[in-house]
Amino acid sequence: MSPGATGKPGNARGRALHGPDTSVAAWPWFSRMTEIWWTRNAGRPAIDGARAARASSLIAFAREHSPVYRRAWSGLPQREVALAELPVATKRELMTHFDDWSTDPRVDRAGIEAFLADRTHIGERYLDRYVVWKSSGSTGEPGIFVQDESALATYDALIAVQLSGTRLAGPYAWGLLARGGRAALIAATGDHFASIASWQRMCRGTPSPNARAFSVMDPLPRLVAELNAYQPAFLAGYPTVLAQLADEQAGGRLRIAPTCLWSGGECLAPATGAAIERAFGCTLINEYGASECMSIAYGCREGWLHVNDDWVVLEPVDRDYLPVPPGETSHTVLLTNLANRVQPVIRYDLGDSVIAKLEPCACGSPLPAIRTEGRHDDVLAFTAADGRTVSVLPLALTTIVEDAANVHRFQLVQQAPDRLALRLDPCDANRRKIAWHAAAKALHRYLAAQSLANVEIALDRSPPVADPHSGKLREVIVDYPQRAD
Ligand SMILES: [Zn+2]
């Protein structure tokens, strides 16, 4: 799942369960799943061959149909070029030249923005053929991503392969869903984010979907009560959401018995994954995805993520975009999505730090293994007026600020158990004042609904500060001495 923008909603992250849905594009999905099975069972040479053929075909297609890439590659020889010879693409550059990026001239920014402005369209097809979502811009740049039929079928097939490959959990969850078990997604549901758009796409393709989406913005006690009433067999959410719910389950307030859990959109620490599985007594499948490519990799029982490298190319690189060897932390990764042609993503700076595994993984997967270093926000703990500790999801706070203040580069700093400060990117004084008032009001309203009306919301005059080690901006940080216990 990719409940993604920031691990955020925008973030593609928070993505849903598509596998059991046979009514959505049933045939492309099934034939692609068979193809993935065949390729992976044939081993590394078959996987490498499939990836190389797809990369070569995508490069030729982009060169012919996407003006942005044609211009960027104009100095390259006219012969067939290898992926590694191509320049890096950035989100800013692709978003700036949005209309020229697309390989379908009917896909233009004006039309897409009009479509996205209406939130009743979430998960509907654009031009009857594309699914569109936006990312909230965890790196300070919001993005709009269009997915074609082939990409959607591939994401669905990758999920299906993953579910079936998870011994016990997969077949059991499938059987259970087929018999009418309920599926629940907990995500940012209020806008065209990848997770909820994917979920709505699934629900729209099913006559009476046994699935329900819950909002991460709901106060935890309400979410717990709703889940107790709904009793999902399959539960998907961000790791921070599932960790919060695992505490509720362990404390006896949440009482559900899912057969399979699905997480995505944020980094999942192995210890957190184990704690979630322990609390619910079932398998957790962890997906690494992004708005630019919903299914990049899946977690294995050894705690590594295996890259779907028959459909995705992931290149760990340093600050100068030079390759970083396995075992070392990269500055960023270059993503190439081999499944989507309407908006080709080719050697795209994704912004995540990863470490590639040096030796083969003990789980036996033929796919390369990585760990991600980025996108992990901790659940914040605030102290309510009556002394209770109330946990708050970073994702909920960032969603509120983006939505209320329409800003994408900011930082929330918890400065005390009852104080939260907002740092805004320097811009003109008037805009800053309006953004601050809107954000403060919305944050206060949200926190009050969580029994945290006592929490002080302050404006920190300093600009957002990037992490000194990685150089990246974390949108939610904790900055005060905490007790070790
Ligand atoms: Zn593994």
Side-chain angles (χ1 to χ4, degrees):
M1 176 161 164
S2 319
T6 103
K8 293 162 135 208
N11 309 330
R13 306 129 195 218
R15 144 187 189 91
L17 129 172
H18 299 168
D21 174 43
T22 51
S23 62
V24 175
W27 182 246
W29 164 80
F30 185 76
S31 67
R32 188 137 297 172
M33 185 179 83
T34 313
E35 185 187 33
I36 293 169
W37 265 112
W38 186 91
T39 307
R40 293 187 180 178
N41 284 333
R44 280 312 317 174
I47 297 169
D48 291 340
R51 186 184 60 250
R54 284 168 190 150
S56 160
S57 164
L58 177 69
I59 291 167
F61 185 83
R63 199 173 212 177
E64 188 175 349
H65 299 284
S66 168
V68 156
Y69 285 110
R70 194 164 49 238
R71 280 200 299 271
W73 302 346
S74 61
L76 295 173
Q78 278 311 305
R79 62 169 168 78
E80 191 171 314
V81 291
L83 199 57
E85 296 178 65
L86 301 175
V88 171
T90 62
K91 187 195 274 184
R92 173 167 294 177
E93 177 189 347
L94 296 177
M95 286 302 143
T96 304
H97 304 286
F98 190 89
D99 294 0
D100 280 351
W101 174 21
S102 167
T103 60
D104 180 344
R106 293 172 303 167
V107 172
D108 62 34
R109 184 149 201 154
I112 295 268
E113 286 190 341
F115 176 81
L116 290 174
D118 185 343
R119 295 184 180 183
T120 61
H121 287 320
I122 297 174
E124 277 179 17
R125 298 280 168 145
Y126 178 67
L127 299 178
D128 289 328
R129 63 172 60 202
Y130 301 122
V131 171
V132 184
W133 51 65
K134 61 188 199 180
S135 76
S136 58
S138 49
T139 52
E141 294 273 344
I144 298 172
F145 300 97
V146 185
Q147 311 292 311
D148 62 26
E149 196 60 65
S150 165
L152 297 167
T154 304
Y155 305 147
D156 289 348
L158 288 168
I159 288 173
V161 167
Q162 188 61 28
L163 269 178
S164 334
T166 307
R167 268 173 273 161
L168 295 178
Y172 188 39
W174 274 62
L176 202 131
L177 291 167
R179 292 198 306 274
R182 294 165 175 164
L185 166 74
I186 305 166
T189 55
D191 208 339
H192 292 262
F193 298 128
S195 48
I196 188 64
S198 303
W199 184 265
Q200 296 294 11
R201 174 176 74 92
M202 177 192 82
C203 293
R204 285 177 197 281
T206 311
S208 51
N210 226 346
R212 193 174 149 193
F214 298 83
S215 171
V216 288
M217 313 306 283
D218 282 347
L220 187 61
R222 188 195 302 168
L223 185 58
V224 165
E226 287 180 345
L227 288 172
N228 279 335
Y230 189 65
Q231 288 296 319
F234 183 100
L235 178 61
Y238 301 88
T240 45
V241 176
L242 295 181
Q244 206 182 27
L245 290 175
D247 282 346
E248 296 299 297
Q249 181 88 359
R253 294 174 293 279
L254 179 64
R255 293 174 296 278
I256 59 174
T259 57
C260 184
L261 302 166
W262 188 278
S263 73
E266 297 166 342
C267 264
L268 175 71
T272 309
I276 293 169
E277 289 191 327
R278 215 166 33 242
F280 290 102
C282 68
T283 300
L284 169 67
I285 299 176
N286 181 41
E287 181 186 34
Y288 169 47
S291 295
E292 295 83 349
C293 179
M294 284 297 259
S295 299
I296 298 173
Y298 287 99
C300 76
R301 58 180 157 80
E302 301 294 321
W304 289 86
L305 291 162
H306 288 280
V307 179
N308 293 313
D309 79 331
D310 40 358
W311 281 103
V312 174
V313 183
L314 211 54
E315 304 171 69
V317 293
D318 65 18
R319 282 171 200 271
D320 300 319
Y321 295 136
L322 296 171
V324 167
E328 289 179 23
T329 305
S330 75
H331 177 69
T332 181
V333 279
L334 304 181
L335 168 74
T336 300
N337 178 349
L338 300 173
N340 192 29
R341 290 198 165 188
V342 61
Q343 269 185 340
V345 168
I346 301 173
R347 301 202 87 207
Y348 172 97
D349 183 350
L350 190 60
D352 290 345
S353 294
V354 307
I355 300 176
K357 193 175 191 319
L358 205 50
E359 358 27 83
C361 188
C363 76
S365 169
L367 303 175
I370 58 161
R371 276 200 180 128
T372 56
E373 297 283 301
R375 296 201 313 219
H376 44 103
D377 290 320
D378 296 326
V379 173
L380 302 184
F382 286 99
T383 305
D386 62 4
R388 277 183 310 129
T389 299
V390 176
S391 62
V392 171
L393 296 170
L395 171 67
L397 299 176
T398 54
T399 303
I400 286 165
V401 173
E402 290 183 359
D403 213 37
N406 194 26
V407 291
H408 297 284
R409 191 176 166 83
F410 60 89
Q411 192 167 45
L412 286 160
V413 189
Q414 187 184 7
Q415 297 177 327
D418 58 356
R419 182 181 163 97
L420 181 67
L422 175 64
R423 292 172 178 164
L424 290 165
D425 208 31
C427 57
D428 75 87
N430 267 344
R431 222 188 125 215
R432 191 183 160 91
K433 199 170 163 188
I434 293 166
W436 155 243
H437 284 298
K441 196 172 158 192
L443 284 169
H444 182 75
R445 193 185 315 125
Y446 173 75
L447 290 171
Q450 323 290 317
S451 313
L452 291 170
N454 59 306
V455 171
E456 180 194 354
I457 318 272
L459 176 66
D460 184 334
R461 300 275 167 193
S462 41
V465 180
D467 181 272
H469 302 296
S470 68
K472 289 173 188 166
L473 178 67
R474 289 183 64 192
E475 287 180 316
V476 181
I477 56 173
V478 177
D479 187 19
Y480 72 93
Q482 295 171 80
R483 290 182 309 167
D485 61 355

